[in-house]
Amino acid sequence: MRPSVLDPLFAPVSSLQGIGPKIAKTISGLVADRQDREATLADLLFHVPHSLIDRRHRPGIAYSENGQIVTLQVTIDRHHPGPRGGRAPYRITAFDQTGSITFVFFHPRRDWLEKMFPEGEVRVVSGRVEWFNERPQMVHPDYLLSLEEAASMPAIEPVYPMTAGLAGKTLQKALGAALQRLPVLPEWQDGAFLERNMWPGFDEALRAVHNPKEQDDLSPEGANIRRIAYDELLASQLALALVRKSMRQLGGVSRKPSGTLQQKVISALPFSLTDGQAAAVKDINSDLAEPIRMLRLLQGDVGAGKTVVALAALAQVIETGAQGALMAPTEILARQHFASMQPLCEAAGIRLALMTGKDTQKQRRILQEKLNAGEIDLVVGTHALFQGSVTFQNLGLVVVDEQHRFGVHQRLAISAKGNGVDVLVMTATPIPRTLVLTCFGDMDVSRLTEKPAGRKPVTTVSVSLDRLDEIVGRIGAAISSGQKAYWVCPLVEESEKIDLAAVEDRHKVLEQALGQKVSLIHGRMSADEKDAAMASFKSGETRILVATTVIEVGVDVPDATIIVIEHAERFGLAQLHQLRGRVGRSDKPSSCVLLFKAPLGETAAARLNIMRETNDGFLIAEEDLRLRGGGEILGTRQSGTPGFRVARLEDHADLMEIARDDARLILETDPDLKGPRGDALRCLLYLFGRDEAIRLLRAG
């Protein structure tokens, strides 16, 4: 049960005065973590301002800089209404001792303006100044007040991330009302720790952030934001530590086979394992031998050979008589894993099957019967594998590919499919250390840093779109000499229609320019159409594949040696690196062309620079985190860190480490969170939406 002290914070925003269903829906779209529920007061209060406006800034008209928000004390000179019925704006001129200014109003109500700006009177006006033809103007000022009223204007105003259809004043009012209902909560942080950091109490910090007096009150390095960010990170780390503890408590199976099956798989490889692969296999084997469940993250850069390590792990478990499953995020990937594992499984005598959402009911039934009878050792599939109905005779190990699409809930669901199921998670997105702690704090980590022998680094160049014809010509020459190329067009979130047109146009232009058939893949096509396009590119029937970013993860055509990424400035670093990983998968020299539209912004230029300088995914991931924040690295769209509202990894990475150690210590001293601090920590978990961890406490 949620502690009753939190009830006021879990009231819906529509319980606030003046917030009807329509505004509640708009606010929920802005502040709730899911679209299918109404926001609570807690959601609203964790929507923190990103900056502030200082209304105390009064430079005088002549000294107001372009784009600055200023407060001016002026004498109203004259009204200049546009012609009646016309569209022209309404202008009012005013002056102070330094110069004159024009106030501009569109769709004006003339009687209201004459009342608010009486000619010859003094008024205090605050808003953004813009200089136009060397003359200052202010369009629709934020405040226009008499001298008496000006005393009540807020000196400092917080500025919030906003959404269409919501007025700033409405949001401010709702926040003010929500703050009045903020209860006094028990202190969940250690007293000495708070004192050492000179941090305020939770409610004091939250009030200061919404009613800032100085810039420092909102600074990510300031005491208020750091205090709340640490609360959030501790909630996350405590939840992960509880998941880990519960997975461990459920007990594992000690698996110590002779290793002959694993050896057969490794011997069937056309190459020998890299040092990193051999070390990862050794780590996994020692995990499997323990009577504790394995929870391991296998991080490897694009093309570092994770699948081989996964198959070696699966062979080890299959030799003990258990079954294995490999889960991929898309059907293309599932089929690809199946195809690449097939020859190795045949050589080792492992019975392999593929299960996807496309199977007919009859195929699904036959597969299910074989799984139940233990006639299949290893099944490869998409999410379809873990829908309620699929069962196993004896599931021993699950390998999950591209982890960031599977959260803690799914990790728990997988493990319910068998007795003491071990879990190995693979990700091709090199993730910076702090982010590994954020999302995989419950796992041990193996990293593959070398590429398999014989692979050549990809040469990367950046070229302005002005030279498009030249690039098309070069691609034509490369194809005539027998090479294959990808051409990637960006997705613009706002409009699928525009994207589709862009991809289809590029496809047409290339077919015409090169005088040959070109394959096309985009998100609106059916799985069959995508498979057919992919197959004709793989077989060499077509030599160019034009695609949106659907090819980003895992598509494997070893003889493709060129990738052109159009509008490279629109992509994040991690995504550019993933796309580049589609080439350089053989011993032939490969190249990546980053086509950009000039002029480049500072961040975009820095990104393209890093891509030219290095092929090291881990280095790229650290840079990406520095340039952009953690959210997008893990494929969540909003900037900032996945699942966090206040904490930002680029600012609070140091706190993440402390939170992890604190969480471990808490569970060592009070494993059931029953002590006085334990009760307060339960409040913390509920407050930050980590209540699934509390269910684990009860189950444990």
Side-chain angles (χ1 to χ4, degrees):
M1 292 288 288
R2 184 173 66 219
S4 56
V5 66
L6 291 174
D7 289 348
L9 292 174
F10 281 84
V13 287
S14 56
S15 67
L16 294 171
Q17 202 181 349
I19 305 287
K22 194 174 166 202
I23 292 178
K25 194 174 173 193
T26 310
I27 290 180
S28 298
L30 178 66
V31 306
D33 54 354
R34 294 203 321 267
Q35 294 307 307
D36 58 352
R37 68 172 183 86
E38 187 182 331
T40 62
L41 300 199
D43 293 320
L44 184 59
L45 290 172
F46 288 134
H47 186 68
V48 298
H50 56 72
S51 56
L52 48 82
I53 294 171
D54 189 344
R55 300 271 177 208
R56 297 169 301 190
H57 183 51
R58 298 182 171 221
I61 293 172
Y63 305 109
S64 299
E65 289 180 31
N66 188 32
Q68 242 184 10
I69 290 180
V70 299
T71 301
L72 303 170
Q73 186 170 320
V74 297
T75 304
I76 307 303
D77 184 22
R78 287 182 58 199
H79 285 242
H80 306 271
R84 279 199 181 279
R87 293 256 170 138
Y90 191 107
R91 298 172 190 278
I92 299 170
T93 48
F95 59 89
D96 66 6
Q97 51 281 43
T98 70
S100 64
I101 189 167
T102 305
F103 300 117
V104 181
F105 295 88
F106 294 93
H107 313 297
R109 276 188 26 227
R110 186 170 176 169
D111 53 341
W112 182 80
L113 287 172
E114 283 170 349
K115 189 174 122 204
M116 296 304 285
F117 289 95
E119 291 181 1
E121 298 274 326
V122 174
R123 287 286 178 267
V124 173
V125 183
S126 190
R128 189 178 302 278
V129 169
E130 285 159 334
W131 285 78
F132 194 66
N133 289 339
E134 296 184 17
R135 300 172 74 95
Q137 61 177 31
M138 192 182 282
V139 179
H140 289 269
D142 302 331
Y143 288 93
L144 29 130
L145 307 165
S146 65
L147 286 174
E148 298 76 56
E149 293 165 331
S152 65
M153 179 173 72
I156 301 275
E157 249 178 75
V159 183
Y160 293 87
M162 293 300 284
T163 185
L166 182 65
K169 294 220 166 83
T170 308
L171 182 67
Q172 294 260 22
K173 204 171 156 197
L175 273 158
L179 278 172
Q180 284 178 348
R181 295 201 198 169
L182 180 63
V184 177
L185 297 172
E187 181 54 79
W188 44 72
Q189 298 295 1
D190 175 65
F193 175 67
L194 288 180
E195 220 167 286
R196 218 173 31 250
N197 283 292
M198 302 195 322
W199 285 351
F202 171 77
D203 61 332
E204 192 187 329
L206 202 53
R207 286 177 201 283
V209 163
H210 290 293
N211 296 305
K213 299 281 178 281
E214 295 298 338
Q215 189 61 52
D216 192 52
D217 289 337
L218 289 187
S219 157
E221 286 82 44
N224 298 316
I225 294 281
R226 273 178 81 80
R227 158 75 215 232
I228 302 166
Y230 186 73
D231 289 334
E232 188 167 28
L233 294 174
L234 181 61
S236 149
Q237 288 302 306
L238 198 50
L240 282 170
L242 284 163
V243 169
R244 183 185 177 92
K245 182 175 147 231
S246 123
M247 298 278 271
R248 293 282 157 110
Q249 271 174 347
L250 289 168
V253 176
S254 168
R255 307 181 201 276
K256 295 183 186 171
S258 64
T260 41
L261 194 60
Q262 188 177 74
Q263 214 33 64
K264 278 185 185 171
V265 167
I266 293 170
S267 306
L269 291 168
F271 49 81
S272 53
L273 297 182
T274 64
D275 293 347
Q277 284 173 316
V281 170
K282 197 174 150 204
D283 284 345
I284 289 166
N285 287 349
S286 62
D287 282 358
L288 293 173
E290 295 289 327
I292 298 169
R293 300 174 61 188
M294 170 169 81
L295 277 176
R296 185 168 283 279
L297 174 70
L298 178 62
Q299 267 192 288
D301 208 341
V302 183
K306 294 176 297 296
T307 315
V308 171
V309 174
L311 190 53
L314 287 157
Q316 192 75 342
V317 170
I318 290 164
E319 194 187 330
T320 66
Q323 293 165 302
L326 186 145
M327 182 156 90
T330 65
E331 210 153 296
I332 285 186
L333 262 175
R335 290 178 185 285
Q336 206 164 283
H337 278 307
F338 178 72
S340 66
M341 286 178 164
Q342 215 165 7
L344 297 170
C345 286
E346 271 169 26
I350 292 171
R351 296 165 297 179
L352 178 69
L354 175 70
M355 182 187 279
T356 69
K358 267 204 219 142
D359 299 341
T360 62
Q361 275 187 313
K362 186 181 171 191
Q363 287 171 315
R364 175 62 65 94
R365 195 183 67 248
I366 294 169
L367 241 168
Q368 182 59 71
E369 284 166 4
K370 286 185 166 179
L371 277 174
N372 288 345
E375 290 164 19
I376 291 173
D377 298 317
L378 171 55
V379 60
V380 175
T382 53
H383 301 255
L385 271 182
F386 292 99
Q387 273 145 0
S389 56
V390 182
T391 52
F392 295 82
Q393 186 195 46
N394 175 15
L395 181 61
L397 170 63
V398 174
V399 178
V400 181
D401 189 15
E402 281 307 312
Q403 161 63 20
H404 52 262
R405 300 191 171 88
F406 302 100
V408 170
H409 300 285
Q410 287 95 327
R411 305 220 264 274
L412 292 168
I414 290 170
S415 52
K417 291 277 178 187
N419 176 27
V421 182
D422 292 302
V423 179
L424 176 68
V425 161
M426 308 193 292
T427 173
T429 313
I431 307 173
R433 184 179 146 64
T434 32
L435 267 179
V436 169
L437 288 182
T438 313
C439 305
F440 316 105
D442 55 337
M443 304 191 132
D444 301 307
V445 181
S446 295
R447 265 186 167 190
L448 302 180
T449 48
E450 321 108 303
K451 290 270 199 313
R455 292 209 174 167
K456 294 201 163 65
V458 179
T459 309
T460 304
V461 293
S462 52
V463 179
S464 166
L465 268 165
D466 309 339
R467 291 166 57 194
L468 182 66
D469 295 347
E470 182 189 326
I471 296 295
V472 173
R474 286 195 181 182
I475 293 280
I479 285 169
S480 312
S481 73
Q483 297 187 55
K484 282 186 189 171
Y486 294 103
W487 191 294
V488 182
C489 299
L491 276 180
V492 194
E493 292 293 343
E494 286 74 59
S495 159
E496 271 197 30
K497 286 202 184 84
I498 300 174
D499 295 334
L500 223 79
V503 174
E504 286 168 346
D505 282 353
R506 179 59 64 229
H507 177 242
K508 277 199 201 93
V509 166
L510 288 172
E511 281 200 327
Q512 282 167 353
L514 303 171
Q516 56 178 281
K517 189 167 179 280
V518 170
S519 286
L520 172 67
I521 289 189
H522 57 70
R524 281 286 179 85
M525 291 161 72
S526 71
D528 288 339
E529 291 171 319
K530 284 183 200 165
D531 285 350
M534 203 67 223
S536 62
F537 180 57
K538 263 189 146 160
S539 68
E541 187 192 326
T542 56
R543 297 235 150 242
I544 293 196
L545 173 64
V546 173
T548 52
T549 48
V550 289
I551 66 151
E552 175 187 346
V553 176
V555 172
D556 192 17
V557 181
D559 55 347
T561 52
I562 301 170
I563 185 163
V564 177
I565 303 172
E566 198 170 332
H567 281 293
E569 76 280 358
R570 292 190 198 162
F571 292 94
L573 256 179
Q575 211 179 10
L576 288 172
H577 179 65
Q578 281 281 21
L579 287 166
R580 176 168 64 182
R582 298 305 107 221
V583 296
R585 301 175 85 86
S586 67
D587 54 1
K588 297 190 183 76
S590 295
S591 47
C592 168
V593 181
L594 304 171
L595 279 179
F596 64 87
K597 188 175 188 332
L600 279 178
E602 200 177 321
T603 307
R607 268 186 215 144
L608 300 191
N609 239 345
I610 292 159
M611 287 294 293
R612 284 201 307 269
E613 282 165 15
T614 180
N615 273 287
D616 178 343
F618 289 100
L619 187 71
I620 284 172
E622 297 288 350
E623 282 298 313
D624 202 16
L625 181 62
R626 194 179 60 75
L627 286 173
R628 245 215 320 202
E632 305 193 25
I633 295 180
L634 286 182
T636 48
R637 251 182 48 222
Q638 76 286 6
S639 200
T641 308
F644 291 133
R645 288 136 185 245
V646 181
R648 290 269 177 274
L649 280 193
E650 55 274 35
D651 301 315
H652 305 128
D654 59 322
L655 296 180
M656 176 67 81
E657 305 259 359
I658 302 167
R660 186 187 58 165
D661 295 342
D662 198 2
R664 288 195 173 166
L665 188 65
I666 288 164
L667 290 186
E668 274 167 30
T669 51
D670 182 9
D672 300 321
L673 300 186
K674 288 272 169 59
R677 186 180 178 196
D679 280 340
L681 285 163
R682 284 169 182 251
C683 280
L684 173 72
L685 287 168
Y686 272 111
L687 189 58
F688 284 100
R690 309 284 175 180
D691 25 318
E692 77 262 19
I694 293 175
R695 287 201 293 281
L696 292 178
L697 270 176
R698 289 206 294 273

